[in-house]
Amino acid sequence: MRRVHVAVYPGTFDPLHLGHLDIIRRASQLVDRLIVGVAINVGKEPLFPLEERVRMVRGEIDALYAANAMNGIKVEVVPFENLLMHFAADQGADMVIRGLRAVTDFDYEFQMAQINRHLDRAVDTVYLPASAHWSFLSSSGVREVAAWGGAVDDWVPPHVAEALRERHDQIARTGH
Ligand code: ADP
């Protein structure tokens, strides 16, 4: 019998953008079950709280399902606040999916893959190259442009663009 592949695609998704959605769509076609793991941001305060980032990703995945782009493939969105390899084990995953944009991503990603492999040999890291169309795109770039009132509508789904506008209005009003 063919082995069932379960993959975790982890990220902070602060906010979700079209490069992420492209990886989700492609990864979902490679595995039997895909878990999009939304991480707390340990390094610094995220622009959007964890629950809102989870809501954003879920909303877009539901939209993809509605458009029937993910025929029969199970994609779930699950928040996690622990070590990625522990989360992957809890989910019964045998793969971690990462997107690679450019050589600048490579050093960090290569190091993380080695560390993670050392932590759990049952889980391997699989990289998907960013689509040429989105290889320049990052959440930090989106946040930067949105913070100055620039249009990000070409890079994020409409609900996310709206959430960014509301969040920046709130920051302008309240200072945080
Ligand atoms: P970002 O790097 O955009 O701030 P994350 O930390 O949430 O976002 O990234 C989660 C995963 O998505 C990582 O594997 C990252 O390499 C990948 N990723 C980010 N942006 C892109 C993109 N434009 N195309 C493909 N993969 C991407």
Side-chain angles (χ1 to χ4, degrees):
M1 212 171 79
R2 191 178 77 83
R3 189 171 159 193
V4 169
H5 290 293
V6 178
V8 166
Y9 173 46
T12 42
F13 307 105
D14 186 34
L16 175 77
H17 56 62
L18 299 184
H20 295 136
L21 281 175
D22 182 57
I23 296 287
I24 292 171
R25 188 185 50 75
R26 288 160 58 203
S28 72
Q29 287 162 359
L30 299 176
V31 298
D32 301 284
R33 213 172 123 228
L34 178 68
I35 293 127
V36 182
V38 183
I40 50 159
N41 196 338
V42 266
K44 65 182 176 62
E45 182 78 5
L47 183 61
F48 292 103
L50 181 63
E51 314 75 61
E52 190 160 358
R53 285 180 278 129
V54 168
R55 242 195 330 270
M56 278 177 189
V57 183
R58 274 200 189 127
E60 294 311 315
I61 284 176
D62 288 350
L64 273 182
Y65 267 123
N68 211 13
M70 289 187 178
N71 241 334
I73 289 147
K74 200 156 171 37
V75 182
E76 284 163 60
V77 184
V78 181
F80 74 103
E81 308 197 21
N82 52 346
L83 193 64
L84 173 60
M85 285 298 112
H86 292 168
F87 175 65
D90 291 346
Q91 297 295 323
D94 61 338
M95 264 187 232
V96 168
I97 303 267
R98 300 285 293 169
L100 270 188
R101 280 165 291 200
V103 280
T104 42
D105 280 345
F106 186 80
D107 269 356
Y108 173 77
E109 290 294 338
F110 192 66
Q111 194 182 5
M112 283 314 297
Q114 309 277 352
I115 291 171
N116 288 338
R117 186 93 177 126
H118 185 85
L119 291 172
D120 188 344
R121 299 201 71 79
V123 180
D124 216 337
T125 305
V126 174
Y127 296 107
L128 293 182
S131 296
H133 211 67
W134 306 123
S135 58
F136 66 92
L137 198 53
S138 66
S139 293
S140 56
V142 169
R143 286 198 304 272
E144 179 86 20
V145 171
W148 294 100
V152 293
D153 305 71
D154 288 345
W155 304 329
V156 299
H159 284 121
V160 174
E162 188 52 38
L164 278 162
R165 278 189 282 274
E166 281 170 13
R167 183 74 182 95
H168 285 296
D169 284 351
Q170 182 189 36
I171 292 170
R173 272 196 324 274
T174 65
H176 54 86

